[in-house]
Amino acid sequence: MNFKAILLAICLLLTRAYAQAPATDETWWKHAVLYEIYPRSYQDSNGDGIGDLNGITARLDYLKSLGVDAIWISPMYPSPQVDFGYDISNYEAVDPQYGSLKDFDRLVAEGKKRNVRVVLDMVLNHTSDKHQWFIDAASSSTNPHHDWYVWSDGKPGSGPEAHEGRVPPNNWVSLFGGSAWEWVPAVHQFYYHKFYKQQPDLNWRNPAVEEAMFNTMRFWLDRDVAGFRLDAIPTLFEDKQLRDERSLGGTNAQGDPNLDDSLTSNLPEVHDVIRRMRAMVSSYPGDRVLIGETYLPNTAELDKWYGGAKKDELNLPMDMLLGFSNKLDAGAFRKLIDEADTQLHGSQPLFVFDNHDNIRSIDRYGDGVHNQQILKQLAVILLTTRSTALMYQGEELGMVTATPTRVEDVKDPIGITGWPKEKGRDGERTPMQWDASNLQAGFSTNPHTWLPVPANYTTINVMAEAKDPGSQLNWYKQLIRMRRELPALRNGGLAMLDTANPSVLSYVRTPSDGSPAVVVSLNMSGTPQTLSFDLRSTGIKDKTAKTLLTDAPELSNVHSLHSITLPPFASWVGSVQYAAP
Ligand code: NOJ
């Protein structure tokens, strides 16, 4: 073998070893703080009133200073923007309103300099109806792309839904309102859409669809993205026989019957696709991550998305059970945190409290009086349990939901069709509040931002909060720093404390290297609570305690775990020096 061949063989071996190395405890995403960016609303760099990629690049130093390890950017691909980017018409480009591929490459490169990775949103369930694949598919039933979507001839019938004497094949409804079936005269068939009618569902039973979508993922993996957040991933498959879904009684905000969605969501077939996807993504070096948008009914279902004991599916399916339980309840939180810790075959949990689809957590969990303290408690849970943490822009500031008050101001189509019961998602998508330098909170120079900037930007903004030691921003920053620096929070085990207490959630993180343990205690009630912890049951003989972080001034000098009184809704995080018993 000549020298060149030996070198090549060594390189190949190294690449293989790197590519196939199993995720270890040091795998970056296990300790990461992930941060969702809704690009329309983060930073406008060209004065058109809409955020863009160069705007995000300009804010990388902020993200770095906050302690973010990776940003997930909601879709920035070319799109008619019916669903603000979740209707993609070209998977391998950037929408001109957000910039160009060159801007994207610069964002990735600048992120790399600061150790901020870029994760992309991948929408696999559906495309835009303006995607060339669908245009082809809807033009003729003999077009090779026709079978890339889900079609039905319907069944004989009459009435307002009838076309050429045929009605939709079943009772399925779109999650965004109305029948899930849309008639196309050119092919004399209905197509299926789980979301808007402009978002036709792809037919994942056709292997050509998988191949095409995996290729688009490769396109971005080759451009060095750190992984993907998989949109609506449980909805890839539908019942092959197109049977009616069971009615649950009553109607939803869009006026449609409530249906049990078990024939259009979370079908077992999806797991084969995910296993193949994981194998494909793992063949790239650098621990690329697969995150799932997985709204599921319980922890056992969530475990399946990791691949159960085999752990060969998603790295981080989102645990939506805790962050969207929508009730501040110490007992319920304890149970869900404990389940994620003990019932996922040791896989890494991913907690999330906020995203661009839901009323902000400060409003869902807040009682209207103690909202600031309550948000601080949620941040403590997100950042001091064993979970990877996923945040949403503005959460770190305590930005609130600014729901439109008039239907004529609504931009999100579900808010228009569902008004006034369903006011849409504009409220959680308002522009990021950077400073009080102009009426657009530093988001844009254009007075006509795509959504209005809430009036509270004068006090709730990055610049003002950076100067206030008691602000939400500084609370998040301190927690993220502690999570990074303290071995107990980085790698320690977790044990619940005081488990019968209905009002206070307490737990301890125990490192194995002899460094201090960390105790967390959150009073989720409106009355003071006195606690006394004995850590012996967790194998720890505590000696002295020290406050690391609290929002109750009277707890700033705690020295012992015996008899701590937490004021209403207070948080206390302390370190405990200990000796093994
Ligand atoms: C979930 C996304 O988060 C949401 O914004 C979108 O409307 C639907 N999936 C459809 O893609």
Side-chain angles (χ1 to χ4, degrees), residues 292-305:
E293 188 203 17
T294 39
Y295 289 94
L296 296 164
N298 54 50
T299 306
E301 281 300 318
L302 181 63
D303 186 46
K304 292 184 190 163
W305 282 85

Side-chain angles (χ1 to χ4, degrees), residues 383-570:
L383 294 160
T384 68
T385 52
R386 268 204 333 103
S387 168
T388 296
L390 174 51
M391 301 168 54
Y392 173 52
Q393 65 186 51
E395 176 181 341
E396 76 275 26
L397 304 178
M399 274 179 65
V400 301
T401 321
T403 306
T405 51
R406 309 180 320 165
V407 65
E408 53 270 41
D409 297 331
V410 177
K411 295 282 189 305
D412 184 12
I414 54 169
I416 300 170
T417 53
W419 191 273
K421 273 194 182 163
E422 164 65 70
K423 293 184 174 163
R425 299 165 289 181
D426 294 355
E428 52 269 20
R429 298 174 176 181
T430 54
M432 178 73 175
Q433 297 172 197
W434 293 103
D435 54 46
S437 63
N438 66 8
L439 295 173
Q440 293 75 249
F443 161 69
S444 173
T445 50
N446 191 322
H448 304 289
T449 52
W450 83 281
L451 282 178
V453 173
N456 61 21
Y457 80 92
T458 51
T459 51
I460 302 178
N461 70 60
V462 171
M463 199 181 255
E465 293 193 32
K467 292 183 198 139
D468 170 7
S471 68
Q472 293 292 349
L473 180 59
N474 278 318
W475 185 260
Y476 274 83
K477 270 193 185 167
Q478 288 174 82
L479 284 166
I480 293 174
R481 195 176 322 123
M482 282 161 47
R483 171 189 169 88
R484 196 179 291 257
E485 288 171 1
L486 300 178
L489 294 185
R490 189 172 167 84
N491 286 318
L494 181 145
M496 290 294 168
L497 300 172
D498 196 15
T499 53
N501 194 324
S503 309
V504 185
L505 174 67
S506 305
Y507 49 89
V508 59
R509 299 287 315 273
T510 48
S512 52
D513 64 355
S515 59
V518 170
V519 170
V520 170
S521 203
L522 308 170
N523 179 3
M524 298 188 166
S525 79
T527 47
Q529 302 285 334
T530 299
L531 310 160
S532 182
F533 298 116
D534 182 350
L535 298 186
R536 268 175 300 187
S537 63
T538 65
I540 289 176
K541 187 160 171 281
D542 58 281
K543 286 180 168 168
T544 53
K546 195 177 98 193
T547 299
L548 293 171
L549 186 67
T550 184
D551 54 355
E554 54 271 58
L555 293 180
S556 53
N557 279 315
V558 166
H559 298 294
S560 137
L561 291 181
H562 308 291
S563 192
I564 302 180
T565 300
L566 270 88
F569 299 102

Side-chain angles (χ1 to χ4, degrees), residues 13 34 66-67 81 85 96 103 147 150-151 154 168-169 197 205 220 248 260 272-273 308 341 357 413 439 443 470 537:
L13 270 174
L34 311 174
L66 179 58
Q81 306 289 338
D103 297 334
D147 188 47
V150 180
W151 296 96
K197 67 176 183 212
R205 293 204 160 83
W220 294 103
L248 299 174
D260 154 37
D272 296 329
V273 174
D341 207 49
D357 290 329
L439 295 173
F443 161 69
S537 63

Side-chain angles (χ1 to χ4, degrees), residues 72 83 86 123 126 176 195-196 199 229 231-232 293 356-357 425 429:
W72 141 35
D83 194 14
Y86 284 94
V123 184
H126 48 269
F176 288 164
F195 299 93
Y196 293 120
Q199 294 168 301
R229 173 266 190 187
D231 181 68
E293 188 203 17
H356 63 285
D357 290 329
R425 299 165 289 181
R429 298 174 176 181

Side-chain angles (χ1 to χ4, degrees), residues 180-253:
W181 296 96
E182 186 71 14
W183 178 257
V184 176
V187 294
H188 313 285
Q189 281 182 313
F190 296 92
Y191 69 84
Y192 171 68
H193 56 95
K194 178 87 180 169
F195 299 93
Y196 293 120
K197 67 176 183 212
Q198 295 89 343
Q199 294 168 301
D201 268 50
L202 284 160
N203 172 18
W204 278 82
R205 293 204 160 83
N206 183 338
V209 167
E210 178 174 312
E211 200 190 324
M213 294 314 273
F214 280 19
N215 281 339
T216 67
M217 294 173 80
R218 287 192 185 95
F219 175 87
W220 294 103
L221 289 164
D222 289 336
R223 289 195 113 84
D224 248 1
V225 303
F228 300 100
R229 173 266 190 187
L230 303 171
D231 181 68
I233 194 68
T235 64
L236 288 201
F237 287 85
E238 302 77 37
D239 179 44
K240 223 172 169 174
Q241 301 166 53
L242 306 183
R243 286 169 293 178
D244 273 352
E245 276 180 335
R246 197 168 52 86
S247 164
L248 299 174
T251 53
N252 61 25

